[in-house]
Protein backbone atom coordinates (compact mmCIF):
# COMPACT_ATOMS: atom_id res chain seq x y z
CA UNK A 1 0.00 0.00 0.00
CA UNK A 2 1.21 3.49 -0.85
CA UNK A 3 0.08 6.68 0.82
CA UNK A 4 0.47 10.01 -0.92
CA UNK A 5 0.31 13.34 0.91
CA UNK A 6 0.28 16.62 -1.01
CA UNK A 7 1.32 19.96 0.42
CA UNK A 8 2.23 23.44 -0.76
CA UNK A 9 -1.09 24.71 -1.99
CA UNK A 10 -2.44 28.11 -1.10
CA UNK A 11 -3.63 31.49 -2.30
CA UNK A 12 -1.43 33.39 -4.75
CA UNK A 13 -1.87 36.34 -7.05
CA UNK A 14 -1.85 35.93 -10.79
CA UNK A 15 1.72 35.79 -12.07
CA UNK A 16 2.97 34.25 -8.85
CA UNK A 17 4.48 30.87 -8.12
CA UNK A 18 3.84 27.86 -5.93
CA UNK A 19 5.62 24.56 -5.46
CA UNK A 20 3.54 21.53 -4.65
CA UNK A 21 5.07 18.50 -3.00
CA UNK A 22 3.78 14.96 -2.81
CA UNK A 23 5.39 12.72 -0.22
CA UNK A 24 4.97 8.98 -0.67
CA UNK A 25 5.28 6.16 1.78
CA UNK A 26 6.63 2.77 0.82
CA UNK A 27 9.87 1.40 -0.57
CA UNK A 28 8.69 1.03 -4.15
CA UNK A 29 8.07 4.72 -4.90
CA UNK A 30 11.10 4.89 -7.17
CA UNK A 31 9.56 2.35 -9.54
CA UNK A 32 6.26 4.21 -10.01
CA UNK A 33 5.28 6.68 -12.66
CA UNK A 34 3.80 9.75 -11.02
CA UNK A 35 1.25 12.26 -12.17
CA UNK A 36 -0.32 15.52 -11.09
CA UNK A 37 -3.98 16.11 -11.81
CA UNK A 38 -6.35 18.93 -10.96
CA UNK A 39 -10.05 19.43 -10.60
CA UNK A 40 -11.76 22.79 -10.70
CA UNK A 41 -15.30 23.30 -9.36
CA UNK A 42 -17.87 21.91 -11.76
CA UNK A 43 -15.24 20.39 -14.02
CA UNK A 44 -13.79 16.95 -14.56
CA UNK A 45 -10.42 16.01 -13.18
CA UNK A 46 -7.69 16.65 -15.73
CA UNK A 47 -4.10 15.63 -16.24
CA UNK A 48 -1.52 18.32 -15.56
CA UNK A 49 1.89 16.66 -15.67
CA UNK A 50 3.57 13.28 -15.40
CA UNK A 51 7.04 11.90 -14.79
CA UNK A 52 8.48 8.44 -15.33
CA UNK A 53 10.18 6.41 -12.61
CA UNK A 54 13.63 7.93 -13.10
CA UNK A 55 12.58 11.50 -13.72
CA UNK A 56 14.09 11.37 -17.17
CA UNK A 57 10.82 11.72 -19.07
CA UNK A 58 8.20 14.33 -18.35
CA UNK A 59 4.84 15.13 -19.89
CA UNK A 60 2.59 18.18 -19.67
CA UNK A 61 -0.89 19.27 -20.51
CA UNK A 62 -0.74 21.89 -23.22
CA UNK A 63 -1.94 24.83 -21.15
CA UNK A 64 0.80 24.43 -18.53
CA UNK A 65 3.76 23.81 -20.82
CA UNK A 66 6.51 26.33 -20.18
CA UNK A 67 4.96 27.36 -16.84
CA UNK A 68 4.90 24.15 -14.76
CA UNK A 69 7.74 21.73 -14.08
CA UNK A 70 7.36 18.26 -12.62
CA UNK A 71 10.30 16.59 -10.94
CA UNK A 72 11.00 13.87 -8.42
CA UNK A 73 13.54 12.97 -5.78
CA UNK A 74 13.47 9.22 -5.29
CA UNK A 75 15.82 9.44 -2.30
CA UNK A 76 13.16 11.53 -0.55
CA UNK A 77 10.16 9.66 -1.97
CA UNK A 78 8.79 12.96 -3.19
CA UNK A 79 7.46 14.38 -6.42
CA UNK A 80 7.17 18.11 -7.03
CA UNK A 81 5.20 20.45 -9.23
CA UNK A 82 6.75 23.87 -9.65
CA UNK A 83 4.09 26.26 -10.91
CA UNK A 84 5.13 29.65 -12.29
CA UNK A 85 3.21 32.43 -14.01
CA UNK A 86 0.02 31.21 -12.39
CA UNK A 87 -3.31 32.23 -13.89
CA UNK A 88 -6.79 32.34 -12.35
CA UNK A 89 -7.75 29.39 -14.55
CA UNK A 90 -5.16 27.29 -12.70
CA UNK A 91 -7.38 27.44 -9.62
CA UNK A 92 -8.27 23.88 -8.62
CA UNK A 93 -7.63 21.09 -6.17
CA UNK A 94 -4.38 19.45 -7.20
CA UNK A 95 -3.84 15.72 -6.71
CA UNK A 96 -0.81 13.55 -7.10
CA UNK A 97 -1.19 9.98 -8.24
CA UNK A 98 1.02 6.90 -8.57
CA UNK A 99 0.92 4.39 -11.38
CA UNK A 100 2.42 1.05 -10.44
CA UNK A 101 3.25 -0.08 -13.97
CA UNK A 102 3.98 1.72 -17.20
CA UNK A 103 4.65 5.27 -18.18
CA UNK A 104 2.71 8.33 -17.02
CA UNK A 105 -0.62 8.75 -18.75
CA UNK A 106 -3.31 11.39 -18.91
CA UNK A 107 -5.92 8.72 -18.11
CA UNK A 108 -6.70 9.04 -14.41
CA UNK A 109 -8.20 5.54 -14.23
CA UNK A 110 -4.72 4.12 -14.95
CA UNK A 111 -3.35 5.33 -11.60
CA UNK A 112 -3.50 3.13 -8.55
CA UNK A 113 -2.93 5.48 -5.64
CA UNK A 114 -4.11 9.03 -5.00
CA UNK A 115 -3.43 11.74 -2.48
CA UNK A 116 -6.12 13.75 -0.73
CA UNK A 117 -5.48 16.89 -2.75
CA UNK A 118 -4.29 20.41 -2.03
CA UNK A 119 -6.15 23.59 -2.94
CA UNK A 120 -4.53 26.13 -5.24
CA UNK A 121 -6.32 29.45 -5.65
CA UNK A 122 -5.03 32.12 -8.02
CA UNK A 123 -6.54 35.58 -7.64
CA UNK A 124 -6.50 38.47 -10.08
Amino acid sequence: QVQLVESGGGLVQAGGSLRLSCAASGRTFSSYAMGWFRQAPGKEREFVAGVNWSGGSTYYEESVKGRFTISRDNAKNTVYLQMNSLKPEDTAVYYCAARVRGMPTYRDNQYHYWGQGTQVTVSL
Side-chain angles (χ1 to χ4, degrees):
Q1 191 73 8
V2 174
Q3 289 187 325
L4 304 175
V5 180
E6 302 97 335
S7 61
L11 174 64
V12 64
Q13 286 189 326
S17 298
L18 284 173
R19 188 175 83 154
L20 305 183
S21 299
C22 173
S25 64
R27 295 176 295 174
T28 53
F29 169 80
S30 61
S31 67
Y32 295 162
M34 298 296 295
W36 283 98
F37 290 77
R38 65 186 179 187
Q39 187 168 23
K43 294 188 177 181
E44 293 187 353
R45 186 164 57 190
E46 66 173 357
F47 174 79
V48 175
V51 62
N52 75 330
W53 68 274
S54 69
S57 296
T58 56
Y59 308 85
Y60 297 94
E61 191 270 330
E62 195 64 33
S63 69
V64 308
K65 283 182 180 178
R67 300 190 298 123
F68 291 10
T69 302
I70 188 171
S71 62
R72 67 189 297 162
D73 185 339
N74 287 340
K76 296 182 178 179
N77 276 16
T78 302
V79 63
Y80 305 98
L81 185 67
Q82 177 67 43
M83 305 186 295
N84 299 329
S85 302
L86 282 161
K87 304 175 181 180
E89 51 263 44
D90 295 317
T91 295
V93 177
Y94 284 70
Y95 300 90
C96 71
R99 189 181 190 205
V100 172
R101 290 171 294 277
M103 295 294 284
T105 173
Y106 66 91
R107 298 182 186 276
D108 59 0
N109 63 1
Q110 298 295 307
Y111 289 80
H112 301 84
Y113 302 104
W114 290 85
Q116 82 289 348
T118 186
Q119 176 71 46
V120 171
T121 303
V122 184
S123 64
L124 289 169

